Amino acid sequence: MAFREGSRAWKRIFWQLILLALGGLGLLRFGLPVLRHLEVLIPMGVCPPARTPLLRDNFTGPLHPRARPEVLTCTSWGAPIIWDGTFDPDVAQKEAVRQNLTVGLTVFAVGRYLEKYLERFLETAEQHFMVGQHVVYYVFTERPAAVPSLPLGPGRRLRVERVARERRWQDVSMARMRALHAALGGRLGREARFVLCMDVDQHFSGAFGPEALAESVAQLHAWHYRWPRRLLPFERDARSAAALGPGEGDFYYHAAVFGGSVAALRRLTAHCARGLRRDRARGLEARWHDESHLNKFFWLHKPAKLLSPEFCWSPDIGRRAEIRRPRLLWEPKEYALLRG
């Protein structure tokens, strides 16, 4: 067994070295996009056979990781990574109905992001997000009157929460954790049992159901899920509260989707808000703002469930064989227009 594990480790290192060599040559000749075609050569790893029978989902019961042998379906601490084909959506739906759940969905739509993205986000959420469940949408914005009025299905409600207008887009990103923490301690926390927090500049393209719920949920980043740990963009400035040292960090998680129970999210948002305040007091700003602090939290407090990149995919990456059925798609990023 030890020999086989060692052999697999050397194979991973070999392919990483090959990727780096080819990527360096390709970057010199063709530019960065060539790396996207080469990273598919990096093995994602395999869930150990002894662990697969133990993988269970809080809604679907036993999972079926062997249905997706080409991807990693579990973590080293035993959490499932949810891919299309590894769960039964009908069973998840029935279990959520049996529990009579209310699921919260939060989104921040401030500045020009409101007009550009919010309406499509909500329209597609009505088509695909927790269909058949009780849902409460929480839209955080500095302009409540500008939030579009949309017809909602039975058992689905829309709340609008006013937030202060921030001077810089980085401050908007970082203020999110503070606002979420307050809302989770108020009406949102009383209304919902589970909450998912999402970015507004994306839209739903497929069923996003109760299989995405757990005590704590992290989203694998579409641009980094194949990268070796040493290349992941964690915060490396040791002065920052978000810093991860060499050898630290499991996966790189995307702050465009995260969630969990109300209690778990209160702990996460408190941690991130505290770290952001500490950095600001020291004149620091983590490389990826609240996302850097979110990654630090999930290193210290392992998530109970990971969502595969199918749940939040960037069309700019192109087609990938393992991405069978994207649930969320990124909208085009127009930073110059929206953040100007």
Side-chain angles (χ1 to χ4, degrees), residues 9-307:
W10 278 110
K11 286 180 180 178
R12 284 195 296 270
I13 294 171
F14 171 78
W15 281 112
Q16 289 168 14
L17 291 173
I18 292 294
L19 173 69
L20 289 172
L22 292 175
L25 292 173
L27 186 60
L28 288 173
R29 185 170 182 183
F30 302 109
L32 184 62
V34 71
L35 295 178
R36 290 292 149 202
H37 300 289
L38 295 173
E39 70 180 12
V40 298
L41 300 175
I42 302 176
M44 293 182 65
V46 177
C47 195
R51 187 172 292 154
T52 54
L54 304 177
L55 288 178
R56 299 183 63 84
D57 180 74
N58 48 315
F59 288 100
T60 65
L63 293 166
H64 310 288
R66 292 175 184 170
R68 296 298 303 271
E70 80 280 18
V71 295
L72 183 63
T73 52
C74 73
T75 69
S76 61
W77 61 93
I81 304 175
I82 306 298
W83 293 85
D84 185 64
T86 62
F87 63 93
D88 187 331
D90 294 330
V91 173
Q93 176 83 350
K94 291 175 182 176
E95 177 60 20
V97 169
R98 187 190 69 79
Q99 295 186 29
N100 193 30
L101 294 179
T102 294
V103 181
L105 175 56
T106 71
V107 64
F108 281 69
V110 297
R112 296 170 184 167
Y113 280 72
L114 193 157
E115 287 86 1
K116 180 69 175 176
Y117 298 119
L118 181 60
E119 187 166 7
R120 190 180 189 196
F121 178 89
L122 292 173
E123 285 178 345
T124 57
E126 276 297 283
Q127 296 168 15
H128 300 293
F129 181 77
M130 303 293 164
V131 174
Q133 310 299 326
H134 298 291
V135 171
V136 56
Y137 300 107
Y138 268 70
V139 175
F140 295 81
T141 181
E142 82 282 22
R143 292 180 290 137
V147 173
S149 178
L150 300 174
L152 302 178
R156 300 168 81 91
R157 302 184 301 277
L158 174 66
R159 311 282 195 205
V160 181
E161 295 283 328
R162 183 186 293 274
V163 293
R165 184 178 182 87
E166 302 288 347
R167 184 174 58 86
R168 305 180 310 145
W169 68 265
Q170 294 95 330
D171 296 327
V172 172
S173 172
M174 293 188 288
R176 176 170 67 157
M177 293 298 180
R178 184 174 65 247
L180 284 172
H181 185 74
L184 289 160
R187 183 167 62 173
L188 172 58
R190 295 189 298 271
E191 286 187 307
R193 180 173 165 192
F194 293 98
V195 177
L196 285 163
C197 309
M198 298 189 181
D199 284 353
V200 71
D201 53 349
Q202 49 193 349
H203 68 272
F204 291 87
S205 57
F208 204 111
E211 67 278 353
L213 302 176
E215 179 65 15
S216 60
V217 179
Q219 171 68 57
L220 291 180
H221 200 296
W223 286 87
H224 303 300
Y225 69 102
R226 281 185 171 270
W227 288 21
R229 180 166 55 184
R230 67 178 68 88
L231 298 181
L232 293 175
F234 298 125
E235 177 59 42
R236 297 303 188 187
D237 185 342
R239 299 172 299 166
S240 172
L244 289 174
E248 293 184 335
D250 300 301
F251 303 90
Y252 191 77
Y253 303 116
H254 195 182
V257 178
F258 61 94
S261 71
V262 169
L265 279 177
R266 286 270 290 170
R267 291 189 291 271
L268 183 155
T269 53
H271 170 97
C272 293
R274 187 166 54 247
L276 288 159
R277 284 196 305 271
R278 179 183 139 184
D279 277 7
R280 177 163 291 186
R282 297 180 175 185
L284 301 173
E285 198 168 274
R287 178 182 180 187
W288 293 112
H289 313 107
D290 59 339
E291 185 171 89
S292 297
H293 291 270
L294 177 125
N295 272 274
K296 176 65 173 283
F297 178 86
F298 279 137
W299 162 246
L300 297 173
H301 310 278
K302 310 298 188 192
K305 177 182 289 184
L306 276 61
L307 302 180

